[in-house]
Amino acid sequence: KEELYCQLIKQLTFCPDLKIETRIWELLWLLTGVLVPGKVLLHHATLFLRSSSNPTALECYNRIQKIQK
């Protein structure tokens, strides 16, 4: 699960293609609803999601918060 988060965030950071970026956000949205990253990565993932201007980032952040409880 850690590797999935790392790869998706990496791809979103350097993605020049809007169609691909949209698909990656969809994958990250799905992932955040089923798997919470480990404690260290959780901190970095939430920082990434909170700093993104993409509307799906907020949804992903909220899904992580919800599944953590």
Side-chain angles (χ1 to χ4, degrees), residues 1-10 31 35 37-38 41:
K1 68 181 176 181
E2 304 293 318
E3 187 64 24
L4 286 169
Y5 273 98
C6 289
Q7 289 301 319
L8 292 175
I9 290 171
K10 179 181 175 185
L31 182 63
L35 294 174
L41 185 57

Side-chain angles (χ1 to χ4, degrees), residues 6-42:
C6 289
Q7 289 301 319
L8 292 175
I9 290 171
K10 179 181 175 185
Q11 292 297 321
L12 285 169
T13 304
F14 302 108
C15 189
D17 187 320
L18 185 57
K19 282 185 179 182
I20 293 173
E21 181 181 343
T22 300
R23 294 290 187 203
I24 296 169
W25 276 113
E26 290 171 356
L27 287 171
L28 188 57
W29 184 87
L30 289 170
L31 182 63
T32 56
V34 293
L35 294 174
V36 176
K39 192 173 187 176
V40 173
L41 185 57
L42 177 62

